[in-house]
Amino acid sequence: MTEDPKKYKINDYLNQLNVKEYRLAVQIIPKILGVSLNTFHNYRNILWNSTQDIPYEKVVMFEQLFDMRSGELINNVISVKKLKDLFQSEASVLGEGRSSAC
C-alpha cells in the first residue's frame, strides 16, 4: 500500500533522525512554532491535493529549523511565469486592436 503524498517534507526530514533525536524533535518543534502537538501532527499529515496549508511564517520557521533553503519544504515544484513576462504578453494582446488615441 502506498501512502498518499504529503504536501510538505516534514516527515521526510524527521525520518532521517535517529530515534532519540526524533523523539526530542517532536517535543521541541511545536514549542518553537508556538503550536500544539496536535497542530504539529496535522501539519505533518497535510496531503498534496489538500486545500489545507501551513501559515507562511511557520513554513519559514520549519525551513530554518531543518536548514533548508526558502521554498524547499514543499514536496513538489510550483512554477509560474514571472509577472514582468505576463505584463509583456498582456500588453501585446491589449495593444492589438487598440487605437493609439489616449
Side-chain angles (χ1 to χ4, degrees), residues 6-101:
K6 304 291 189 239
K7 191 177 274 192
Y8 299 99
K9 298 177 187 174
I10 299 167
N11 289 332
D12 296 345
Y13 180 86
L14 293 174
N15 290 335
Q16 294 176 18
L17 303 175
N18 65 42
V19 174
K20 186 177 180 179
E21 291 171 335
Y22 178 93
R23 288 181 180 158
L24 196 54
V26 169
Q27 292 176 357
I28 292 172
I29 292 172
K31 292 176 186 173
I32 292 171
L33 296 177
V35 299
S36 70
L37 181 61
N38 189 51
T39 298
F40 170 64
H41 286 305
N42 288 340
Y43 288 169
R44 295 175 61 183
N45 294 312
I46 297 173
L47 298 177
W48 175 249
N49 59 355
S50 173
T51 57
Q52 184 182 8
D53 229 334
I54 300 174
Y56 179 71
E57 178 182 303
K58 305 298 184 197
V59 169
V60 171
M61 292 171 81
F62 270 118
E63 289 172 339
Q64 291 177 1
L65 284 169
F66 296 168
D67 196 25
M68 294 178 169
R69 294 183 308 269
S70 180
E72 198 173 352
L73 186 69
I74 196 149
N75 219 355
N76 205 341
V77 176
I78 298 174
S79 62
V80 65
K81 289 184 178 182
K82 293 187 178 9
L83 191 55
K84 288 185 178 188
D85 294 338
L86 294 171
F87 288 158
Q88 290 174 351
S89 62
E90 187 67 23
S92 65
V93 168
L94 290 176
E96 295 172 3
R98 187 178 210 204
S99 66
S100 60

